[in-house]
Every structure is written in structure tokens, then in C-alpha cells.
Amino acid sequence: MAPSFDHLPDPEDDEFDEDELDFSDLRERFEVQLEQGLDTFVVIDGLPEVTEETKPKLIKFLLRKLNAVGRTREDSIFMPIGDDGKSHKFAFVEYSTPAEALAACKSLDGVPLDKKHTLRVNKLTDIDRFGREGRIDEHYTPPKIEEFQEKEHLRSWLADPSGRGRDQFVMYTDDRVRVFWNNEKDPPEPIVDRQHWTESFVQWSPQGTYLTSMHQQGVQLWGGPSWTRQKRFAHPFVNLVDFSPGEKYLTTWSNRPISIPEEGHPALSVDDDGKNYVIWDIETGKPLRSFANIDLPSNANDEAGQPIKRKIVWPAFKWSADDKYVARLTQGTSISVYELPRMNLLDKTTIKIEGVMDFEWAPATPHREGVKTYEQLFCYWTPEIGSNPAKVGLMSIPSKEVVRTLNLFSVTDAKLHWQSEASYLCVKVDRHSKSKKSLATSLEIFRIREKGVPVEVVDSIKDTVINFAWEPKGDRFVIITTAEVVAPTAVPPKTSVSFYCPEKVKGPGVGNFKHIRTYDKKNSNAIYWSPRGRFVIVATVHSQQSFDMEFFDMDFEGEKPESDKDLTANLQLMNTAEHYGVTDIDWDPTGRFVATSASIWKHTMENGYHLYDFKGEQLREEPVEKFKQWLWRPRPPTLLTKEEQKQIRKNLREYSKIFEQEDADRGASADLAVVEHRRRLLEEWMSWRASIEEEVKEERAARGLPLDPLEGIIKKTTEGEDQIIEEIVEEIVEETEEIVP
Amino acid sequence: MRPTLLQGHERALTQIKYNRDGDIIFSTAKDQHICAWFSHNGERLGTYHGHQGAIWTVDVDPTSTMIASGAADNTVRLWDIKTGKCLKVWDFNTAVKRVEFNEDGSKLLAVTEMRMGFLGTIVVLDINLDVEAEQSNEKVMTITCEESKAIVAGWSYLSKYIIAGHEDGTVSQYDAKTGEQLDNVKVHDLDITDLQWAPDRTYFITASKDKTAKLINTRDLEVMKTYVADTPLNSASITPKKDFVILGGGQAAMDVTTTSTRQGKFEARFYHKIFEEEIGRVRGHFGPLNTVAVDPTGKGYASGGEDGYVRVHQFDKGYFDFTYEVERQARQQQQQQQM
């Protein structure tokens, strides 16, 4: 039967009296709470003390601030004056609507009035609710102090129990997160193995103290010998996380704006509603401040006419080397520098830099010659605007003084590369010709430590530089260039790899940067310096066709070619290796080993890892299904002084003798164990064979069968069937052709 | 090692067998004829025509008089090796996946497929090794595999047991006289794809899709050794003379097109039989290896691939010279004791 409406009652016929229904329960739930009269009032605390005479001046000053968020008048401000003719340092203010009052609380609370006074703005109803008599206990009850509990040593891993100074790494495969000791050639020694430890990826903190796991509810930090949870940062739907270099603070980011539920949130407050970034104090686990995404109107549109979403820049909040400042770029207009731990804007204003495209903090506290005061530096660049040239600037914080600028022309793009100790800054400038048809790159190298920050230009490069990397703690660099920059195609562009180092000079100081050598016709696209310098891997990653890795030594101990005698490097290709489908290359923090891996995040072919030593000798190779991530555990900076380090380096021979002996002993005992194991296996096998052969023999005898089951039948069938097979072999010794005339 | 490439089949290889003297190789493929080859030079001796479907299996009797074959046309056929004449056809309900002679050639077993409502079975037939004689029609014994179908099966030493490898990764031991199941042990996680014997049939090797091969004791089905590979295995064989095993496999044929040829892992892998360590690999095929077989005299081996080729390898000096230090020592000790 087709559905019909016949059986439905006609709404017209339906008679019922609305008054008869009892709506009281619904009314209670949904009745609009009428604004009460006091909702438009706010209370301002933290005002300076004034007298009747100076009061109007203050009110006038206040009004300017108050009117920024809503409407109020002079006579709506009530500032009680005490018997002694002095004000009580607070005032009542009436706004025209409750919404304005609320806005005032949100935006004016905590705003500094001058150096000594900071406004505290609260709703009158809140003061009434929280501060009314009886709500606060008149008697002081001391807070209960929790018994001190010894925490686990977070750096215990540095003392390798085997005494070999091994490094740890984390491996994330399928849904398992495992941490291992690296055992070089032997299978790594497992330390901890947990299923579903993280939901998207794992990350070490910059000094290796914590292992970060990502969850829908937020971020968790793990550490200590028993891998217990150390901290939790409840940022719902968090996508990315970034630590400050000193592990004091943490930035979390989610592409979903935070929405605080009605019943509240354990860590975040209503003020964080709608924000995307949260900056946390790791020690206390408390949020310091939250920020929303900066949505820049994109000037490009995609095919459907929709503005193309810009890729998020990560990290958006960049940390200074000493954890004291964090800064964010608003592209094209300004850089906002915040001071920690209060997270207030430095000098209460952003730094306006017209057109600013990018900035980068010095990765270490800089030491400029002749500058005694404490400073942090960052560099930034601005493109050509109108007839003004493009600029690269160096700004000193907290003075905000621009200590060096450099004008540049015909700039398409610039990239900022700091050397790890902030001794040099290389600005890679892509320049276009006048016709804008061809590109060329020049390298502008700022020598930060020298007087007046001189700039050296390397402009002998004809091609486009696609990659640049400084030697960590050194003064040499590697670049990869390509003649044509084409859109991504199946065939990767041919690239060249060039090495540079400073010239030898007499006395202290660093000579000019000179080209050492170029290797042509490569596919390489990535540079991986050893964290200790000297060794560098040039590799092709994320490629479908080539997977080669070349291990170079910059201080080869062999003979130096004549042409390089003035250079501070002796370049030598030590080894080449190939790892099919390699996606990631990671040096261990000591620069002894390199892990190369093929992650399922990029492709599904031959996922797994290889392990090499710094010379490029392969130590291990292990295919791992659903391999995702390999990360070496970073190490904190050494506690030894420069002198102590020098001492060790001097006596290295003696130390290495001991270590080599240990290695040899361990190797020998391991070999012995293997041999012993094999011997046992062989003996077991032999004895089993002997017993089973005996058993079968007996059984055959018992059944009256010949020892060889075939003896009988073969005799039967082959009797008299012997044949003589003749084979005629013809061999041509010589062939001659004679022409008879 | 010098491989000889046997190009006679038009489709994927299914099984290769050496005769007892190691001079003739029999091969079957999904095309409809069996080929016989001289192992030392790869010359084709002849073909056996008659089957009407993919041929899954072949076996040669110990005296090299006859071969038996099983095919997707639901028949087992017996052939005279010399003349190529079909001596006998046995009909079954479903395809025949494996045939094997017992150690004196007096009996033949055939493993039938589970399909069209018929359960998988193992059938035993009596064989008369005289080519002139009439072969019996009677199926002497039928073992029905009710739990999981048998894929491969074979005769133990003294024809005492029939050992079968099943689809669910278990291995069964049946009494060869009564057909009674004596034991059933789960040894693999996935299908067992091959089962081959040691020369005296006191132990055997199984290959499985679970990427391992195992060496199993015939008497009590104890797993003695496990060889771990990184690809599904289709075949495994034990080498006489040297304590090695050869494994063959590769990405399943249906998955190959979706992966790079590199990843196929179409290699024959050599492992040390006792130490379970991989010793070497032999490349060459460009499809998965469906079958490997070793010359019973220990001089070479042959592999057949999904690519339709048989590659026959003669072992060279390096192969015979390769020994572990431990083995060398043990041998010296033995010699001393004998003196």
C-alpha cells in the first residue's frame, strides 16, 4: 500500500486548550534570563591614588581607554573618595550595555596604565558573586602542601647502563612506539614498547628530556627511566607542537579553533575560546597565553575562484636562543615579540616593518665585537616596495635597534640561513634578470662576530640554488644548484653539488669564502651535515628514480690536492650508498651514526630503515612493515668546559685504546657465543640424525625390507637393459675456400 | 653458477621434478603439456600431451619408468616416460593439485581440490611399474579433509605415514594403511604452499604464505627449524650433500603489478639448514618463483617462475667449498675418530 496521509489527524480538527498544558518544566529550562540591572557595571581596580583635585584628570584619562570598548560618560564613572580626601584606588563604571561591560572586562583587564599601575577590570556582579561577605573565609587557612615526592631523574638515559655511551632512538611502526638503544651492527636493544602510545606521531623535546605523544585531547610528555607521564597539555584536537630550545615552553597548534564547553575545560579558560595556538609553561603545565591564527587574505585564487589557502608556517612562534622571547610574524606588516614568562608584548607594541616577508632568530646568543650588553638578534627581509630596494635587516632585542641593513635589487625571493653558533648569517637571494626570465642566486654572508658586521657576497653561482646548509659549529657550507627550476615532473632535474670553505689566512680571523669543488650531473636534493660538523651527506630523497647518498669528509686526512692548499678543507668523497625509497635521513646526536628510513607516510614500498656509520659503511638493514618514524633522542649540551673538552681531545688516543679493547672483547665474546650456539645446533642435529637413521634401519630390518628401498625394484627393471650409446662427434678443424681461376 | 634457461612453457610454471638420477627434469605449467628436459644441457627430451587444463603437478617414479600428473581437468594421468604414451587416466570430481609416488613406486597419492560441494581429499592408487601391465582402476583409500583442505601431501619413510599440509597452516599425519588421522599440528599462520622431503623422508620442509619455511620431523611433527624470509613463499627444497635449504617465492602474482619490480623479491634464497641463517640469493626470474627442485644427486637445482621459465643451475665449486668453521671442526673430529 502506498503511504497516504489519510490516517493522520487533521490539525484543524484537533481541539486542545493550550492553557491546559503544563509548560512549567520547559519554561524553567528555556526561559530567557533577563539582564539584571547591575550587568552594565564594571569595577576597575589598580588605579593610582588621587585626591578630589586630581580626580577629573584621571577620569578623563580613563575615559579614553574605557571608550575604546564601549560607551560611557564622565558622570557614569564613580570614584569614591575616602575620609582622608584620597581615593580608594578603584572606580565603578557604567556602560550602556552589558555586552560592552563584558568587552571591557575582556580587553581592559591586565592592561598597564603606566609603569606602576595595571588595570584590573571585573564585572560588578562577579565581584558581588565571588567577593561577597561570607564567600571568602575570614580566617586564613594555610594551603596544604603536598609531601615532597622524589621525581624520576629525567636525564638518566645519558648514563648508558652498558657504559658505552650509546644513543637511544624511538621507532614508530604501525601502532607501536618503541624506544631502543642503538647497538650498531647488532639488533637494537628494546627499552620500552607500547601500543597506541600516540595517535599521530612522536617527537623528542630539543634536549631529549621528554618524548611527546599526540592525542585528540592534547599533548603528553613522557620521560624518566620508567617512561611515566611527566606532563599533560590539554589542547583539544592538537595538530602540531613546538618546544622552546631550552625546553621551558611549548607551543601547541590546532587547525580547529578551541571551543570551551559549557562546563569548562580543565586547563583552558573562556578567554582561550576561538584560539588556535597555546603557549604553555612546561614546568607548571599551565597555559601562558593563547593566540588565534592570522588569516592573511591570499592574493592568489585557485581554478574555482576560491582563494588558495596558505600553507601554515610552522613554527609560527619562533623562539630566541635563550627562551626569553618568542616572536610571530604578521607577513607584510610587523613582527610581534613577546617576553617570557609573562607573555606580554615587548614594549607593548609590535615592531612595524613594512613588507616584512620572513624573519629568523639567531640560533645562539650572538657575540658581536664591541657589544657588551646582552642581546638577542633576529634577521628579516623585506621585498622591493615601489622604488625602495629590498632589504635585509638585523635587529637587536630588547633594544629594537637595527644593527645592520643591506639593500638588494631585483630580488624574487630570499632565504635566511643562520650558522648554528650565530657566527654567520647567509642570505640566499634569488635574483631575476631585467626581463624577469632567468633566475640567479647570490649568497650574502654576514659575519656577525666581526666589527660592523661586514657582508661578503658569493655571486659566482650562475644557477639557482635550491638548497643551502652551513656546517654546524663550522664555517663551511654546501649548496645544491640546478640550471632550470621546472614544475614537478616525473624526471627530477639535474643538479650540481658545490662545496665552499674559507681561505687560509695568517693570524686569527676567517678568510674569504672560496669554492672548493662542484659535482655535476646529480639528482641530489638534500644536505645532511653531521651535528658535529666535518662529515656531510648529500642525498636524493623523496624521489621515484634515484636514492643515492654520498658521504663526504671535509677534513680528509689523506693527501691534499695542490689546488686546495690555500683552503681550510680537504674534501673527499668517502662512500656512496643507496637506500631504495629513502624518505628521511637522521644523524644521531653524536655524529657517529646515520639512520636512513623509508616511511609509510610517503609511500608503501620497502618501508624500513638502514643504519650507517659516519663513513657510510652500512651497519644494519631492516625492513619493517608499516614503518613510520625514526628519531634519535637528542642530547643536552655538554657540561664540560672548553678546556676539559680540549683535554679529552688531546688524550683521545689513550681513551680510544680502552674503548677499542672493550669493543674487541665484546665482539670476541659475541663471536664466541655465536660459535658456541652453532656448535650446539650442529651437535643436536647430528645426534638426532643418528638416532632417526638407526630407528629407520631397525624398522626396515623388522619388516624384512632392503636397506635401500629401491634395490629390489631396480634390479628387476634394469636387468639386461644395459645399452651402449654411440655418439658421433664431427669436428671441423679448418675451412678454406679456394677460388679456381 | 651457470643457469640454463628452459623456454618451453607458455604460461606460469607449477611444479618441477628431477628423476632419481638427476639427469632428467620434468616440468608442468598452466599450459596443457608436461615437458621433460635433460638437466645437463637443457635440451628438451619431449612433451606429454593429453591434459585438458592447467597441469598442477607431476611426479616421477624412483625407477624413471613412468610419470604421474594431476591437472585442472579433474584427472590424474600416468605416462610412459620413454614413449610419451598415456598409460592410464583416473577421473576425479575436482582438480588434482598434487601427486606423489611412495619410495618404492608401488603407490601414488593424489590431492584433490575442494570445490563444487566436494570436500578436499587425498586418494591413494596402486601402481604397477610395468609399462605393459594393466593399471588398477580402484582407489585404494580416500582420506577426506573435513576441517581444512589439503594443498600438498606426501609419503613418509617406509610409506608409513601420509603427511599433508593444509590451507589453515596445519600439518597432518595420517596412517598410510588405514587413513586414520594420527596427528594435526598448527605450524604456519597462513596457507602451506609446498612440502618436500629430505632424501630419506624422515623429515620434510614446508613453505608458507606466512613468509616462513619450516623443517619438520616426520615421526612426531616437531618443528625443528624455521627459516624466515621477507616475502610469501611458494616452494622450499632440501639440498642433499650440503646442509642447505632453498626457498622460492615473491609477491603474489596478483599484487605484482601494483608494486615495483624491485620489491617483488623474485629470488631463490639459500639458508643453512641447521643454523637457519641466510647464505645467499640467486636472482634471475622476473616473476615469483612457483617451484624449486633440487637434483637428488646434489649437483644443481631448478626453479620455475610465474614468468614461464625454468632456470636450471649447476652448483659450482664455491657452493661445495662453503662451510662454517664449526662444521669444518666437526668433520675433522670425525675423521680423527675414524683413524
Side-chain angles (χ1 to χ4, degrees):
Chain A
M1 200 180 91
S4 80
F5 299 107
D6 297 345
H7 60 281
L8 288 174
D10 188 349
E12 297 293 315
D13 303 344
D14 208 6
E15 287 177 39
F16 66 87
D17 191 358
E18 265 181 55
D19 299 336
E20 280 175 17
L21 292 173
D22 182 17
F23 285 118
S24 62
D25 55 333
L26 291 175
R27 198 165 280 143
E28 203 173 321
R29 269 178 71 191
F30 294 108
E31 194 167 44
V32 179
Q33 291 287 323
L34 285 174
E35 297 291 350
Q36 280 169 17
L38 293 176
D39 270 345
T40 54
F41 286 90
V42 296
V43 181
I44 302 179
D45 282 301
L47 294 174
E49 197 175 72
V50 289
T51 56
E52 202 64 63
E53 290 86 70
T54 49
K55 192 172 121 181
K57 214 169 146 192
L58 176 64
I59 288 184
K60 206 165 173 194
F61 180 75
L62 262 182
L63 264 176
R64 240 186 296 157
K65 282 207 182 292
L66 296 174
N67 274 328
V69 292
R71 235 158 1 95
T72 182
R73 278 171 294 121
E74 200 175 325
D75 51 359
S76 307
I77 299 177
F78 175 63
M79 201 178 290
I81 301 288
D83 295 338
D84 56 353
K86 285 179 181 162
S87 73
H88 288 306
K89 303 186 194 172
F90 67 84
F92 298 101
V93 177
E94 184 184 3
Y95 273 101
S96 53
T97 66
E100 286 172 7
L102 201 67
C105 293
K106 266 197 178 173
S107 53
L108 295 180
D109 187 37
V111 169
L113 202 61
D114 58 26
K115 283 237 167 75
K116 280 183 192 154
H117 299 91
T118 304
L119 290 181
R120 303 313 313 253
V121 182
N122 283 297
K123 280 169 77 175
L124 183 62
T125 47
D126 282 351
I127 291 210
D128 189 48
R129 198 184 310 158
F130 300 116
R132 201 172 359 165
E133 242 170 279
R135 292 287 166 103
I136 294 166
D137 202 344
E138 288 294 325
H139 298 284
Y140 172 71
T141 43
K144 198 168 165 263
I145 295 166
E146 292 279 321
E147 196 82 16
F148 173 73
Q149 284 194 339
E150 182 103 28
K151 280 192 181 165
E152 287 190 326
H153 197 310
L154 291 176
R155 292 210 165 146
S156 56
W157 95 92
L158 290 168
D160 174 4
S162 75
R164 288 156 59 193
R166 293 176 299 176
D167 277 291
Q168 291 188 358
F169 61 87
V170 64
M171 193 156 73
Y172 179 27
T173 56
D174 200 1
D175 51 12
R176 278 166 91 187
V177 176
R178 285 176 287 174
V179 181
F180 296 95
W181 289 110
N182 169 31
N183 264 352
E184 304 172 33
K185 277 191 174 139
D186 303 319
E189 181 187 323
I191 302 165
V192 61
D193 178 350
R194 289 184 192 165
Q195 294 262 341
H196 306 288
W197 199 348
T198 182
E199 285 171 26
S200 49
F201 62 88
V202 288
Q203 185 172 331
W204 292 105
S205 62
Q207 301 190 358
T209 313
Y210 305 107
L211 181 67
T212 317
S213 66
M214 308 295 291
H215 308 269
Q216 217 178 61
Q217 297 85 353
V219 174
Q220 302 195 88
L221 303 188
W222 308 79
S226 57
W227 297 92
T228 44
R229 184 171 58 219
Q230 303 295 334
K231 286 285 163 340
R232 239 196 307 205
F233 304 99
H235 184 162
F237 306 107
V238 60
N239 294 105
L240 289 171
V241 56
D242 179 47
F243 286 86
S244 72
E247 297 186 343
K248 280 191 188 158
Y249 309 103
L250 179 86
T251 315
T252 54
W253 175 78
S254 166
N255 65 343
R256 285 202 219 181
I258 296 169
S259 100
I260 302 291
E262 285 275 318
E263 62 274 13
H265 184 271
L268 302 170
S269 69
V270 187
D271 292 346
D272 300 317
D273 202 271
K275 304 293 177 64
N276 301 80
Y277 297 91
V278 183
I279 293 179
W280 307 78
D281 185 320
I282 293 181
E283 196 48 54
T284 62
K286 297 262 182 330
L288 294 175
R289 196 165 168 180
S290 56
F291 297 90
N293 277 350
I294 299 176
D295 282 321
L296 277 183
S298 167
N299 33 19
N301 287 341
D302 66 8
E303 284 162 13
Q306 297 290 317
I308 294 170
K309 277 244 166 154
R310 270 168 202 264
K311 271 196 180 161
I312 76 135
V313 184
W314 187 258
F317 284 87
K318 296 180 183 173
W319 297 91
S320 69
D322 59 357
D323 279 15
K324 283 208 175 126
Y325 303 102
V326 66
R328 174 160 74 159
L329 172 81
T330 308
Q331 210 179 48
T333 54
S334 63
I335 296 171
S336 313
V337 181
Y338 300 90
E339 273 180 295
L340 286 144
R342 287 180 56 217
M343 277 310 286
N344 56 320
L345 258 179
L346 181 67
D347 299 337
K348 298 175 195 107
T349 57
T350 59
I351 302 166
K352 296 258 182 300
I353 303 168
E354 200 192 348
V356 59
M357 293 298 286
D358 197 9
F359 81 105
E360 210 66 59
W361 285 100
T365 303
H367 303 282
R368 283 191 293 145
E369 195 181 302
V371 179
K372 292 278 186 297
T373 51
Y374 165 83
E375 64 167 2
Q376 291 292 327
L377 282 179
F378 69 75
C379 63
Y380 60 89
W381 76 279
T382 59
E384 282 157 285
I385 303 166
S387 59
N388 290 331
K391 271 197 181 99
V392 175
L394 268 178
M395 190 178 281
S396 171
I397 295 293
S399 67
K400 295 192 182 176
E401 184 195 346
V402 178
V403 296
R404 184 74 164 87
T405 57
L406 180 70
N407 291 350
L408 298 163
F409 296 94
S410 324
V411 175
T412 312
D413 194 12
K415 288 273 178 315
L416 311 164
H417 299 276
W418 281 98
Q419 185 256 10
S420 70
E421 291 167 313
S423 310
Y424 308 98
L425 164 69
C426 174
V427 182
K428 178 172 86 72
V429 185
D430 291 334
R431 295 164 187 270
H432 49 80
S433 61
K434 280 208 173 114
S435 61
K436 296 202 171 181
K437 268 182 187 156
S438 59
L439 279 172
T441 307
S442 71
L443 304 174
E444 318 276 335
I445 301 174
F446 292 67
R447 293 163 174 264
I448 306 292
R449 294 190 178 195
E450 289 170 34
K451 200 169 169 63
V453 190
V455 176
E456 185 184 332
V457 185
V458 178
D459 57 1
S460 55
I461 308 157
K462 292 197 181 58
D463 297 332
T464 316
V465 177
I466 54 167
N467 211 333
F468 174 98
W470 279 109
E471 176 182 20
K473 298 178 184 164
D475 45 23
R476 299 172 287 202
F477 59 84
V478 181
I479 59 173
I480 299 179
T481 60
T482 184
E484 80 278 35
V485 180
V486 279
T489 50
V491 186
K494 282 280 173 255
T495 56
S496 309
V497 183
S498 305
F499 296 80
Y500 287 83
C501 73
E503 230 174 353
K504 265 187 194 158
V505 284
K506 284 201 180 94
V510 179
N512 290 338
F513 290 101
K514 283 277 183 281
H515 173 243
I516 310 172
R517 219 163 299 157
T518 296
Y519 292 89
D520 279 330
K521 298 199 181 80
K522 298 271 175 203
N523 293 312
S524 316
N525 53 18
I527 307 163
Y528 300 92
W529 277 98
S530 155
R532 313 290 272 191
R534 179 167 170 182
F535 303 104
V536 59
I537 301 174
V538 179
T540 316
V541 295
H542 297 300
S543 162
Q544 309 255 315
Q545 276 86 26
S546 55
F547 326 96
D548 51 310
M549 299 178 278
E550 295 177 22
F551 293 72
F552 290 96
D553 183 356
M554 295 295 279
D555 291 319
F556 181 57
E557 279 155 6
E559 210 174 305
K560 199 168 180 178
E562 188 60 25
S563 56
D564 294 353
K565 70 176 192 316
D566 293 333
L567 301 175
T568 55
N570 187 9
L571 179 67
Q572 174 75 27
L573 172 64
M574 292 187 294
N575 224 328
T576 55
E578 206 181 76
H579 180 178
Y580 179 78
V582 61
T583 58
D584 297 277
I585 296 177
D586 199 11
W587 280 91
D588 86 324
T590 60
R592 293 177 294 177
F593 304 103
V594 187
T596 65
S597 51
S599 165
I600 196 167
W601 285 334
K602 302 282 163 44
H603 60 72
T604 56
M605 283 183 290
E606 295 192 26
N607 300 127
Y609 71 89
H610 290 194
L611 186 70
Y612 298 88
D613 67 6
F614 67 94
K615 299 193 293 287
E617 297 287 347
Q618 187 175 325
L619 301 174
R620 274 184 72 69
E621 176 179 345
E622 193 181 334
V624 184
E625 267 179 47
K626 298 197 179 158
F627 176 94
K628 291 178 179 166
Q629 234 184 334
W630 169 304
L631 290 174
W632 291 99
R633 188 170 197 173
R635 286 168 178 252
T638 176
L639 297 172
L640 299 177
T641 60
K642 279 242 162 72
E643 282 65 43
E644 287 170 315
Q645 291 182 41
K646 204 175 266 172
Q647 202 62 34
I648 290 173
R649 215 165 289 141
K650 224 169 96 191
N651 298 328
L652 199 59
R653 239 165 247 269
E654 279 167 38
Y655 291 117
S656 64
K657 224 184 267 168
I658 302 169
F659 287 126
E660 267 157 25
Q661 187 57 44
E662 279 180 12
D663 281 352
D665 289 353
R666 200 173 47 250
S669 68
D671 285 351
L672 212 63
V674 168
V675 167
E676 208 38 60
H677 178 66
R678 281 190 192 144
R679 185 166 290 143
R680 217 184 57 240
L681 287 178
L682 191 64
E683 271 166 22
E684 279 172 13
W685 178 262
M686 299 284 221
S687 68
W688 177 76
R689 285 303 304 158
S691 78
I692 190 83
E693 271 167 23
E694 187 58 33
E695 191 186 309
V696 174
K697 210 162 129 188
E698 277 170 20
E699 212 168 327
R700 271 191 199 286
R703 292 189 185 198
L705 289 168
L707 272 186
D708 185 340
L710 289 173
E711 256 172 51
I713 39 173
I714 288 176
K715 253 187 211 144
K716 258 188 268 163
T717 49
T718 53
E719 256 169 42
E721 283 193 18
D722 282 350
Q723 286 179 10
I724 298 164
I725 298 168
E726 266 184 58
E727 202 172 343
I728 300 164
V729 182
E730 219 177 295
E731 206 173 322
I732 296 163
V733 180
E734 200 179 27
E735 256 184 316
T736 50
E737 204 173 329
E738 267 179 56
I739 299 159
V740 184
Chain B
M1 278 197 270
R2 172 182 63 91
T4 315
L5 197 61
L6 309 186
Q7 294 164 290
H9 287 288
E10 288 159 10
R11 293 199 51 201
L13 269 289
T14 52
Q15 197 174 17
I16 297 176
K17 274 280 161 107
Y18 275 89
N19 71 340
R20 194 178 140 90
D21 302 322
D23 57 346
I24 302 171
I25 296 171
F26 298 94
S27 62
T28 57
K30 289 182 185 171
D31 54 17
Q32 298 172 6
H33 53 267
I34 306 160
C35 290
W37 317 79
F38 286 112
S39 63
H40 67 283
N41 63 1
E43 196 186 323
R44 186 151 74 173
L45 175 65
T47 56
Y48 303 85
H49 290 270
H51 274 297
Q52 301 291 315
I55 306 173
W56 292 113
T57 174
V58 65
D59 196 23
V60 52
D61 86 281
T63 61
S64 305
T65 318
M66 298 174 185
I67 55 169
S69 61
D73 61 1
N74 303 352
T75 62
V76 168
R77 286 166 198 252
L78 197 67
W79 313 80
D80 179 5
I81 294 179
K82 245 189 243 167
T83 61
K85 207 171 86 186
C86 180
L87 299 172
K88 176 75 187 166
V89 180
W90 287 275
D91 280 305
F92 292 89
N93 293 322
T94 56
V96 179
K97 296 303 285 276
R98 181 59 70 118
V99 293
E100 193 178 290
F101 285 102
N102 69 345
E103 61 182 7
D104 60 7
S106 63
K107 284 192 169 70
L108 181 76
L109 67 74
V111 177
T112 66
E113 181 67 273
M114 178 181 72
R115 196 160 287 159
M116 302 183 295
F118 296 103
L119 285 170
T121 61
I122 302 169
V123 179
V124 177
L125 305 162
D126 269 335
I127 302 293
N128 188 336
L129 280 182
D130 186 354
V131 288
E132 304 295 331
E134 182 78 10
Q135 299 293 341
S136 148
N137 244 334
E138 189 196 354
K139 291 163 186 170
V140 185
M141 186 175 76
T142 302
I143 301 167
T144 309
C145 305
E146 290 180 355
E147 278 188 22
S148 176
K149 73 171 183 195
I151 296 175
V152 288
W155 297 91
S156 81
Y157 59 95
L158 291 168
S159 308
K160 197 173 168 187
Y161 310 113
I162 289 174
I163 305 286
H166 298 270
E167 198 181 22
D168 62 357
T170 60
V171 169
S172 306
Q173 187 188 51
Y174 300 96
D175 186 313
K177 292 226 165 61
T178 63
E180 181 195 351
Q181 194 181 68
L182 302 172
D183 203 353
N184 181 273
V185 182
K186 173 114 180 154
V187 294
H188 286 286
D189 297 332
L190 295 171
D191 326 22
I192 294 177
T193 48
D194 197 14
L195 186 158
Q196 293 195 30
W197 292 99
D200 69 351
R201 297 185 188 239
T202 51
Y203 60 98
F204 57 92
I205 189 166
T206 55
S208 166
K209 290 280 176 214
D210 71 3
K211 305 186 179 178
T212 62
K214 299 198 180 191
L215 205 67
I216 300 171
N217 182 339
T218 310
R219 193 180 52 189
D220 40 26
L221 299 189
E222 175 203 2
V223 176
M224 297 191 292
K225 304 284 169 192
T226 300
Y227 311 98
V228 183
D230 55 359
T231 180
L233 295 176
N234 294 329
S235 189
S237 199
I238 301 167
T239 59
K241 305 278 189 283
K242 297 291 289 183
D243 284 326
F244 300 146
V245 296
I246 307 174
L247 316 184
Q251 210 80 58
M254 56 188 293
D255 299 333
V256 166
T257 49
T258 61
T259 53
S260 77
T261 49
R262 241 188 81 83
Q263 210 197 351
K265 301 173 174 135
F266 309 134
E267 295 151 330
R269 294 127 197 275
F270 284 70
Y271 284 72
H272 195 279
K273 184 170 73 184
I274 300 167
F275 306 141
E276 303 173 323
E277 283 167 25
E278 185 172 333
I279 298 164
R281 294 186 185 190
V282 179
R283 288 168 187 250
H285 282 285
F286 48 90
L289 276 72
N290 286 342
T291 172
V292 290
V294 182
D295 181 345
T297 59
K299 286 185 205 138
Y301 84 99
S303 56
E306 187 72 20
D307 57 9
Y309 295 116
V310 177
R311 300 176 73 87
V312 182
H313 300 255
Q314 311 295 336
F315 295 133
D316 56 18
K317 190 167 177 296
Y319 169 88
F320 294 105
D321 288 349
F322 181 91
T323 35
Y324 279 82
E325 185 62 37
V326 180
E327 292 179 291
R328 240 186 327 268
Q329 286 170 356
R331 197 164 309 147
Q332 278 168 2
Q333 258 175 17
Q334 255 177 4
Q335 280 168 355
Q336 279 169 2
Q337 277 169 6
Q338 280 166 3
M339 282 178 7

